[in-house]
Amino acid sequence: MSKKPVRVAVTGAAGQIGYALLFRIASGEMLGKDQPVILQLLEIPDEKAQNALKGVIMELEDCAFPLLAGIEAHSDPLTAFKDTDYALLVGARPRGPGMERADLLAANAQIFTAQGKALNAVASRNVKVLVVGNPANTNAYIAMKSAPDLPAKNFTAMLRLDHNRAASQLAAKAGFKVGDIKHLTVWGNHSPTMYADYRFATVDGKSVKDMINDQVWNKDVFLPTVGKRGAAIIAARGLSSAASAANAAIDHMRDWALGSNGEWVTMGVPSNGEYGIPAGIVFGFPVTTENGEYKIVEGLEIDAFSQEGIDKTLAELQGEQDGVKHLL
Ligand SMILES: NC(=O)C1=CN([C@@H]2O[C@H](COP(=O)(O)OP(=O)(O)OC[C@H]3O[C@@H](n4cnc5c(N)ncnc54)[C@H](O)[C@@H]3O)[C@@H](O)[C@H]2O)C=CC1
Ligand SMILES: O=C([O-])CC(=O)C(=O)O
């Protein structure tokens, strides 16, 4: 018997990540090749954006995806999030000329407060929320705080692109297949302060750290390359990463919904105090996923170098989250 369709809301649906994301959700790559989906797409109430959204919807129709059970266009989060089971919050205010980080935080605080409230009011009580729009961790924190009737654990931020970037750099350095790496993680904020950590990573049971055995490369090449990859892509393409970001969003949601089969994946999730991260901070952690739930991997040893990296990214996040407290 065929499964009942689930509702997937996507914001910023006419943007560049949206364009790389929607077709893959509709083809079953996110929730499985047997799971019909209804897409509930949100764009700003602006003629150009709504027209662009109409064009994307025409293209989705023209793909004749058997799993696509419905498509809706919205300009109001209160209708876009109605009964939604999954919400991918991609749309955000980009940094404009002369805009300081505080202005960017304030502009996004408005968007994510409104969207958090709308999710609180109308979404499924089990909605799984992924925030992609930057600053992703803090936007997730704002949405979570604005949705007091939903479980905090349902709000997550995207660190998976950083995780995938780290895996790819390690595979190129040590000469293994990228899909063979296990037990890799990225701690903290989706920003250049993130701490990508391969101390526990293995390939075929062998330690990646031992294979590479080069702390200078770790500190001076690997960490800056992964941390500044977003900026490198903007410099090269003139636009920020889109297909790889959409791919990471698919990976994040697929693993959360369908399970990671015991593997570690990185998700930005509200801390419960693990590793000394204050409760409520949305932080990149290693997690395993099963039956639609994630579990932070606990008990890992944190050496002095790693502690320094974790402290640095935590301090940045606390600064961001303090900066929006008065708006919540
Ligand atoms: N967490 C991560 O790893 C990554 C995050 N990003 C972030 O993702 C976001 C989207 O990137 P792109 O798709 O490239 O941007 P884009 O500018 O191409 O598209 C964003 C879309 O969001 C819409 N939008 C803005 N405010 C909205 C609102 N309140 N409600 C609904 N829609 C809204 C805009 O009209 C636009 O169509 C950016 O904030 C970007 O920095 C990008 C790459 C990786
Ligand atoms: O750096 C940016 O603006 C886009 C982004 O988040 C990334 O590519 O990681």
Side-chain angles (χ1 to χ4, degrees):
M1 206 178 79
S2 61
K3 286 186 173 175
K4 186 169 166 272
V6 293
R7 295 180 174 274
V8 181
V10 179
T11 75
Q16 35 151 20
I17 294 177
Y19 197 68
L21 178 64
L22 298 174
F23 300 85
R24 295 185 61 189
I25 298 174
S27 73
E29 284 182 60
M30 187 170 89
L31 297 173
K33 295 284 182 187
D34 59 347
Q35 177 60 66
V37 294
I38 298 169
L39 290 175
Q40 306 187 163
L41 307 179
L42 180 68
E43 259 298 342
I44 50 173
D46 160 271
E47 199 183 332
K48 200 162 160 234
Q50 289 294 325
N51 264 333
L53 181 56
K54 279 196 192 114
V56 174
I57 289 177
M58 285 190 258
E59 285 205 66
L60 280 162
E61 289 166 353
D62 294 350
C63 292
F65 288 120
L67 290 171
L68 188 53
I71 319 177
E72 303 168 7
H74 296 273
S75 58
D76 180 347
L78 277 168
T79 56
F81 296 155
K82 182 91 180 87
D83 297 329
T84 198
D85 302 293
Y86 299 88
L88 291 90
L89 309 187
V90 178
R93 176 80 189 273
R95 194 203 293 249
M99 221 173 157
E100 298 299 332
R101 196 165 173 86
D103 302 327
L104 184 72
L105 281 168
N108 280 300
Q110 250 181 12
I111 295 175
F112 286 86
T113 308
Q115 295 190 354
K117 284 184 179 160
L119 286 164
N120 195 55
V122 300
S124 155
R125 298 301 84 183
N126 297 317
V127 63
K128 288 180 163 54
V129 182
L130 167 62
V131 177
V132 175
N134 279 321
N137 298 54
T138 296
N139 289 340
Y141 173 80
I142 293 166
M144 173 185 89
K145 288 288 177 195
S146 305
D149 302 327
L150 294 172
K153 69 177 171 60
N154 295 16
F155 288 81
T156 68
M158 193 163 93
L159 269 289
R160 185 60 176 265
L161 181 53
D162 313 299
H163 178 113
N164 290 349
R165 285 168 173 166
S168 183
Q169 293 297 321
L170 292 167
K173 170 76 175 169
F176 55 78
K177 285 192 270 169
V178 72
D180 289 345
I181 190 164
K182 296 186 185 347
H183 294 183
L184 171 67
T185 197
V186 181
W187 304 88
N189 200 4
H190 171 67
S191 92
T193 66
M194 75 188 77
Y195 175 57
D197 186 357
Y198 60 86
R199 291 174 304 135
F200 309 103
T202 59
V203 169
D204 295 332
K206 289 195 283 286
S207 157
V208 171
K209 182 167 179 266
D210 290 350
M211 266 184 232
I212 293 176
N213 191 25
D214 188 345
Q215 179 56 13
V216 174
W217 179 82
N218 180 36
K219 181 168 167 291
D220 294 345
V221 180
F222 173 71
L223 287 170
T225 301
V226 177
K228 295 181 191 157
R229 189 69 161 182
I233 287 164
I234 293 172
R237 227 169 70 85
L239 287 168
S240 61
S241 53
S244 55
N247 179 67
I250 297 270
D251 285 350
H252 177 118
M253 280 306 211
R254 183 202 56 225
D255 288 342
W256 192 2
L258 305 180
S260 66
N261 299 315
E263 300 306 333
W264 296 12
V265 291
T266 301
M267 289 171 67
V269 303
S271 170
N272 305 296
E274 292 87 350
Y275 298 100
I277 307 304
I281 296 263
V282 177
F283 202 80
F285 284 110
V287 304
T288 53
T289 57
E290 198 178 357
N291 300 325
E293 301 286 339
Y294 61 80
K295 204 160 148 252
I296 294 174
V297 177
E298 293 197 68
L300 299 173
E301 195 194 318
I302 306 296
D303 63 17
F305 180 81
S306 304
Q307 191 64 54
E308 205 181 300
I310 289 173
D311 288 348
K312 189 168 149 211
T313 193
L314 172 62
E316 181 186 51
L317 259 179
Q318 283 179 307
E320 286 183 17
Q321 296 182 9
D322 282 349
V324 295
K325 259 195 187 126
H326 64 288
L327 302 167
L328 301 181

